[in-house]
Amino acid sequence: MRAGVIGLPDFEFEPVESFSDTKKISEDTTLTACLEVRRTDTTSGVTFQTGRAALQELGSEEQVRIDQSDNSISVSENANTVKTKYTEFVLVPNEFVAVSNGGGTFAFEMIAGQTDAARISRAKINLDDLVRSYEDDKRPESAKTWQVGFYGNSGEAEKGTVYGDGIFSDRELGDVVAKLPKNQIGLIIKSDGEEDINMTATESGYVEVYQPSSYDAAEYADFILNHIIQHAEQRS
């Protein structure tokens, strides 16, 4: 797992356990929720867990019928269709949960229900703070910005995304983009003796590591802890 939507707890929590729960909706319909913990491990003193979550819920489904007798098509909607949501996750107890896509945030509530946290909420990442953190001379890493998504501009280009090699150093756009609110940042993080990390993060809590492509869940969790969490807070 090298990408996910980050969720932050409002209270410390211990490692979670697998569970399933079934709710009867009607005589013919039951809905099941399942949290499957597939791995619990400790690396460099940090405990992390990986797993999967699935949740059944009632939804509507469009049904299309073709009648060849009169060459007609009829469309109807079945409002009592059982649909299943699914996501993978990685979590570090007391710190964060990451689900594999935006549709997987349902797992935040499932995981919170197994912990002391009242809620786990999607994170908001302060992208300006993230960029500035690599300008500290005492930090072993440095970073070059290759992507900036911005909004709130008063000119004709109200929002957009800029790509380049060191965007904030550009004589024409650098200062302008640096001052605007940002919804996405792409960085290449460099550290002596380590492979470069090519990543992107959004203000709404999505973080993806493109390179190294060999990143596993433990390395992704370590990256979130060391590079992202200190610049994130719960969305209100």
Side-chain angles (χ1 to χ4, degrees), residues 13-128:
F13 67 93
E14 297 300 315
V16 298
E17 297 181 354
S18 300
F19 79 92
S20 62
D21 181 50
T22 299
K23 182 186 299 184
K24 189 170 184 178
I25 301 300
S26 66
E27 191 66 32
D28 302 321
T29 305
T30 58
L31 301 178
T32 300
C34 180
L35 187 78
E36 178 191 10
V37 177
R38 309 190 74 191
R39 180 184 178 189
T40 300
D41 208 345
T42 300
T43 302
S44 301
V46 176
T47 297
F48 71 95
Q49 295 184 289
T50 61
R52 304 182 290 195
L55 176 69
Q56 291 180 327
E57 61 182 8
L58 288 179
S60 59
E61 183 177 65
E62 188 176 73
Q63 295 182 330
V64 180
R65 292 185 175 86
I66 300 174
D67 190 340
Q68 291 182 299
S69 65
D70 60 357
N71 300 320
S72 65
I73 299 172
S74 61
V75 180
S76 61
E77 189 172 279
N78 184 353
N80 294 310
T81 301
V82 176
K83 296 187 174 183
T84 302
K85 295 180 177 180
Y86 168 82
T87 191
E88 297 179 6
F89 69 84
V90 57
L91 67 83
V92 175
N94 301 332
E95 297 288 352
F96 75 90
V97 178
V99 293
S100 55
N101 54 69
T105 54
F106 69 89
F108 292 163
E109 184 174 350
M110 294 175 65
I111 292 170
Q114 301 299 303
T115 72
D116 292 328
R119 65 189 179 99
I120 296 173
S121 301
R122 187 164 176 160
K124 179 180 180 180
I125 301 174
N126 188 320
L127 300 178
D128 285 320

Side-chain angles (χ1 to χ4, degrees), residues 104-173:
T105 54
F106 69 89
F108 292 163
E109 184 174 350
M110 294 175 65
I111 292 170
Q114 301 299 303
T115 72
D116 292 328
R119 65 189 179 99
I120 296 173
S121 301
R122 187 164 176 160
K124 179 180 180 180
I125 301 174
N126 188 320
L127 300 178
D128 285 320
D129 275 359
L130 175 62
V131 172
R132 281 194 295 265
S133 70
Y134 297 103
E135 298 172 356
D136 186 349
D137 293 337
K138 297 179 181 179
R139 182 161 186 163
E141 305 97 350
S142 61
K144 180 177 289 187
T145 306
W146 60 267
Q147 177 196 46
V148 178
F150 66 89
Y151 61 95
N153 187 31
S154 58
E156 293 183 4
E158 296 179 1
K159 59 183 178 179
T161 304
V162 181
Y163 299 88
D165 185 12
I167 294 169
F168 296 132
S169 300
D170 185 90
R171 286 181 295 179
E172 294 183 3
L173 290 175

